[in-house]
Amino acid sequence: YHYTSRIKPCQFSEQIKTTIRKIIARELTPLQRELVKEYYYEGKGVSEIANLRGINKSTVSRTLKAARERIEKAMKYCTFHMY
């Protein structure tokens, strides 16, 4: 862990959070953005989201999975500065 003494964890995690927010805004469809917000930021469950929107739970699950895959793919192209 010799290199970790040069990394400021708070700054690094903030950089990741900012990057994820940008990816969500730029790379996801409007429905993916809305469901990610409701599920991850507002803490609603899949069943609750499905009931509120009048859609199947499987639709919510598939949409969230697709959103996670898009975020993961976009993150592969990101470079983080650790110093």
Side-chain angles (χ1 to χ4, degrees):
Y1 289 47
H2 67 284
Y3 63 90
T4 56
S5 61
R6 294 181 283 181
I7 299 172
K8 296 181 180 178
C10 293
Q11 286 181 329
F12 185 66
S13 62
E14 283 304 313
Q15 187 178 17
I16 292 171
K17 288 177 192 176
T18 299
T19 300
I20 291 172
R21 279 190 221 99
K22 287 179 183 177
I23 291 169
I24 290 169
R26 296 175 186 167
E27 300 293 329
L28 301 187
T29 67
L31 179 60
Q32 288 173 336
R33 275 195 300 275
E34 292 169 14
L35 296 187
V36 163
K37 178 184 171 201
E38 291 174 16
Y39 186 78
Y40 290 103
Y41 293 91
E42 297 175 7
K44 295 177 183 171
V46 170
S47 296
E48 182 181 5
I49 294 168
N51 288 336
L52 289 170
R53 292 180 165 270
I55 58 178
N56 291 323
K57 290 189 298 186
S58 61
T59 301
V60 175
S61 295
R62 282 193 313 271
T63 304
L64 288 170
K65 181 180 180 193
R68 285 190 299 269
E69 289 171 351
R70 279 185 144 185
I71 292 167
E72 183 179 336
K73 183 177 178 182
M75 289 291 288
K76 289 180 182 178
Y77 297 100
C78 296
T79 303
F80 297 101
H81 303 285
M82 296 188 202
Y83 304 107

